[in-house]
Amino acid sequence: MIMSVKAVSALKAGMPAVLKSIKESRHPVLVVSKGQPQAVLQDVESYQETQDALALLKLLLHAEKSVAAKRGLSTAAVRTRLLARVTARTAAR
């Protein structure tokens, strides 16, 4: 993944340009202060995609645990829940 590095002092003066660059390139920016990483800036769409991917991974982990414990839902029920979740997130955007 391509990631720019910007000092906090550079962000103070050039935040509008940095935000424009992040939105256009969709590449995150690592914010450093005194040479130490402090934060990561990323565009909203990339952030939401990351959150959606994490949610899916959590669901898969939960499903694996349920299968191992001989509990769970049918494939149809899981599909219905996932589609409802994706539809709700898409509508919220």
Side-chain angles (χ1 to χ4, degrees):
M1 174 190 309
I2 299 171
M3 184 181 299
S4 300
V5 177
K6 299 279 183 191
V8 170
S9 57
L11 290 177
K12 289 178 184 176
M15 184 59 87
V18 171
L19 291 176
K20 182 179 179 187
S21 173
I22 291 170
K23 186 174 183 175
E24 290 174 355
S25 71
R26 298 192 70 191
H27 296 147
V29 172
L30 177 64
V31 180
V32 296
S33 178
K34 299 178 184 174
Q36 297 298 313
Q38 300 297 316
V40 174
L41 295 175
Q42 72 182 125
D43 66 286
V44 174
E45 287 184 34
S46 294
Y47 174 79
Q48 191 59 56
E49 288 171 4
T50 300
Q51 294 304 304
D52 291 346
L54 288 172
L56 183 57
L57 288 172
K58 287 178 183 179
L59 286 171
L60 290 172
L61 179 61
H62 180 71
E64 286 178 354
K65 288 179 181 179
S66 292
V67 168
K70 306 291 186 206
R71 295 175 288 138
L73 299 171
S74 69
T75 303
V78 171
R79 184 171 191 269
T80 300
R81 285 185 179 189
L82 286 173
L83 287 174
R85 186 176 188 140
V86 169
T87 302
R89 285 188 186 260
T90 303
R93 290 185 189 170

